[in-house]
Amino acid sequence: MSITTLDGKRFAEMILQGADHLSNNAKLVDALNVFPVPDGDTGTNMNLSITSGAKEVRNHQSEHIGKVGQALSKGLLMGARGNSGVILSQLFRGFSKSIESKAQITAIEFADALQAGVDTAYKAVMKPVEGTILTVAKDAARAAVIASETETSIDILMEITLKEAEASLKRTPDLLPVLKEVGVVDSGGQGLVFVYEGFLAILKGEKLEINANRLSMNDLVNAEHHKNVQGHMNTEDIEFGYCTEFMVRFEDGKKKFNEEDFRNDLSQFGDSLLVIADEDLAKVHIHAEHPGDVLSYGQKYGNLINMKIENMRQQHTDIVGEKVDKETPLTNETKKERSKFGIVTVSMGKGIAELFKSIGANIVIEGGQTMNPSTEDIVKAIREVNADNIIILPNNSNIVMAAQQAASVVDEHVIVIPSKTVPQGMAALLSFNPTAEPSDVEKIMVEALSSVKSGQITFAVRDTNIDGLDIAKGDFMGISNGKIILTERDQLLASKKLLSEMITEDDEILTIIQGEDANDDEVSELVTFAEEQFDHVEVEVHKGEQPLYSYIFSVE
């Protein structure tokens, strides 16, 4: 039967199915990231973003499609992670704004809403790049608008929209040379196609396959939560405050999985531990006080997917109705008096967090390469700082847009310094002058970003070829200012070569930030090499404890 109008109930079903389908395919989307680094997370970010939107829709069911759209937009906006998640949130923000006054919509109104979403997303991106999710959304919306001139059935219109989205996705390598070079389509575009596939399945009365393993774990989690809550009559009694869930997709070359050892090792991080595993993956649920440590351990076995972290203390507070601030404190410190400036920065690794705090950061959000914080995470930090002017240092190119989006939804005066690496964030923070006017502070800190060169050593998760450089899975890659410039089978050799490429006679300071996968003996040898080869450069070493990136180098 042809569907000529779309109400809130059916649209909510489309959203939930689209979110579920993307969730089940998040690993595939992650695998499409161009760089073969171990933190390719487009699928993870899009999944967490739309899951936040779907949760809001589920909690605000209505026959009125405009109200469902508002719920979706709000959930996506606050849950958006990474550039792909922010763009997805903007697509549906424009879509929802277009239909907010309507109880139900026709095919032509559906097409117009898709186009409104594209317009909003393009405006949100400072320098739109074709061959990405933006292009796929634009081409699909254009096809829908053209078809809606004669087509009145929304199900057929969605079929046309999906068909063009798939065709546009296949064309992305022709628009973005790096995609063609590596031999993949755009990961964000693929994520959007999965969402649209979910939409069409509902309109056609079909149900896409759901991951049974995830459902069985959910049943166990619900039972565990029911049991666990009996032991916590007061919020302060909760010893392990974060409900942490994730899946590990096992990879060759990583630590060999043994379920008993895996379970025993994880038990040190918290309680309420549940593990379900087969030959390809393991799904984990645990209540932990430091979820970053849990995720870092999981990454020793493979790639992380379907991650979710929830603050149980805040949930318990909301349930029992304790009189506390509605925003979750990021620290246990007593709220300080309001100051002129407050600084929020993002980092992954206890050592890097301590380093940022030592040079002036008020709040350090746990996140970075392996887990991009959401818009809501950043909003909470902004409100916790208690300052007239809040400065945010994202320290990752995939967090800058989320920081900017967070700044746009709060009343506070927020300055986003677009730092894309930890060294850039450190350089900007060291240039901070608390006595200057906000406009001057922003100018000086932005200028400081170009005063430092950033280097990283990590390993390749797959074979590929980028810029004529053959990369084999397991190789150690040297990354200079965001570009992979060398690979070696030996980590120390790759590190020495990268420093030789980065350091010139004009440089004065080399800062080595030691990651989890770099031992002290190797660091000592690297320091000796640097001091002998570059005797004009002062060498500093800090234990960053960051996962995945054995070394982060700052040269200035």
Side-chain angles (χ1 to χ4, degrees), residues 443-518:
K443 180 181 179 182
I444 293 170
M445 293 183 78
V446 170
E447 288 176 349
L449 301 181
S450 60
S451 69
V452 63
K453 291 179 282 188
S454 303
Q456 297 161 312
I457 295 292
T458 188
F459 57 90
V461 297
R462 66 175 184 273
D463 296 341
T464 189
N465 182 287
I466 295 179
D467 293 332
L469 186 66
D470 288 324
I471 301 171
K473 182 178 179 179
D475 278 356
F476 290 96
M477 300 178 294
I479 304 173
S480 177
N481 291 329
K483 183 178 180 179
I484 301 172
I485 63 171
L486 59 90
T487 65
E488 290 290 342
R489 298 304 294 180
D490 179 76
Q491 179 173 277
L492 180 59
L493 179 58
S495 303
K496 290 179 178 179
K497 285 191 172 183
L498 180 59
L499 290 180
S500 296
E501 291 287 339
M502 292 180 64
I503 298 174
T504 69
E505 59 182 17
D506 296 326
D507 296 316
E508 298 176 352
I509 301 174
L510 164 64
T511 302
I512 300 173
I513 302 178
Q514 180 182 348
E516 289 180 339
D517 298 326

Side-chain angles (χ1 to χ4, degrees), residues 90-302:
Q90 292 298 317
L91 286 171
F92 284 106
R93 180 184 181 189
F95 181 101
S96 300
K97 186 73 174 175
S98 174
I99 64 172
E100 65 180 355
S101 63
K102 299 178 173 65
Q104 57 184 23
I105 59 174
T106 63
I108 194 167
E109 289 170 329
F110 180 78
D112 288 343
L114 288 172
Q115 184 58 54
V118 170
D119 294 340
T120 300
Y122 266 84
K123 289 176 183 176
V125 179
M126 187 170 296
K127 294 181 179 180
V129 177
E130 298 301 336
T132 65
I133 181 177
L134 289 170
T135 305
V136 174
K138 178 181 68 176
D139 292 348
R142 183 189 297 120
V145 170
I146 294 173
S148 68
E149 294 176 1
T150 55
E151 182 56 63
T152 59
S153 298
I154 294 178
D155 48 333
I156 296 177
L157 186 69
M158 188 68 238
E159 196 165 3
I160 293 170
T161 302
L162 174 59
K163 184 177 180 180
E164 180 55 33
E166 292 171 334
S168 179
L169 179 65
K170 290 180 180 178
R171 295 193 296 265
T172 54
D174 296 326
L175 298 174
L176 205 54
V178 68
L179 295 176
K180 178 172 285 189
E181 184 179 13
V182 176
V184 297
V185 294
D186 178 67
S187 54
Q190 178 66 78
L192 184 63
V193 166
F194 282 133
V195 172
Y196 284 173
E197 285 178 350
F199 284 10
L200 181 60
I202 290 298
L203 292 173
K204 293 176 68 176
E206 300 174 352
K207 188 71 174 178
L208 296 172
E209 184 178 349
I210 298 176
N211 189 311
N213 190 50
R214 184 181 63 190
L215 290 178
S216 60
M217 172 62 93
N218 285 344
D219 292 337
L220 290 172
V221 168
N222 290 337
E224 185 64 32
H225 281 184
H226 179 74
K227 178 179 70 176
N228 181 267
V229 76
Q230 307 306 317
H232 299 306
M233 301 307 295
N234 299 303
T235 302
E236 59 267 22
D237 293 334
I238 299 177
E239 181 180 1
F240 301 104
Y242 295 89
C243 177
T244 306
E245 295 182 42
F246 62 95
M247 296 176 73
V248 183
R249 182 80 67 181
F250 305 137
E251 284 192 307
D252 294 337
K254 289 293 189 76
K255 188 173 181 178
K256 188 176 170 117
F257 180 77
N258 176 283
E259 186 169 344
E260 184 177 355
D261 292 342
F262 184 77
R263 195 186 308 272
N264 289 338
D265 289 346
L266 280 176
S267 65
Q268 69 181 302
F269 297 115
D271 61 14
S272 299
L273 173 64
L274 297 169
V275 176
I276 292 178
D278 60 21
E279 64 273 11
D280 298 317
L281 57 83
K283 180 156 187 177
V284 177
H285 167 275
I286 187 172
H287 294 172
E289 188 61 18
H290 301 289
D293 294 343
V294 178
L295 297 177
S296 295
Y297 176 79
Q299 285 173 321
K300 294 180 180 180
Y301 293 86

